[in-house]
Amino acid sequence: MVREIRFEGRFDPELFRDFAIARARLLAVEITDMSVSDHCFSVRLVGEEALLGMFEMACLLGPGGCIVTGTESLG
């Protein structure tokens, strides 16, 4: 399954990117595209549906110092 997710909030881009890569690795989810800025994190993922949901939940909680204020699943 393929899913695109966009998170909005306040991010430390390097910290959030490293967090997302680590979570994807733990969940055996493949990141095929990723963009991160101070206010937006977008990612395109491939993996099992349940694991994609777990990745999304982990990112909603995020690393310390990063605040997610909104999310949109695009697929």
Side-chain angles (χ1 to χ4, degrees):
M1 171 171 219
V2 176
R3 184 180 297 176
E4 293 182 43
I5 308 168
R6 180 180 311 129
F7 299 93
E8 295 176 357
R10 292 187 320 253
F11 307 119
D12 172 330
E14 186 176 335
L15 181 62
F16 208 87
R17 179 179 26 257
D18 292 347
F19 177 85
I21 290 169
R23 291 307 170 272
R25 189 176 301 124
L26 284 172
L27 294 167
V29 170
E30 180 185 355
I31 295 174
T32 61
D33 190 34
M34 179 173 31
S35 172
V36 62
S37 70
D38 292 339
H39 302 288
C40 184
F41 171 71
S42 298
V43 65
R44 186 171 196 264
L45 306 160
V46 177
E48 293 182 35
E49 185 174 358
L51 298 176
L52 296 178
M54 293 171 78
F55 177 88
E56 184 173 2
M57 183 58 67
C59 287
L60 283 170
L61 298 173
C66 296
I67 307 294
V68 175
T69 59
T71 185
E72 180 180 12
S73 187
L74 307 171

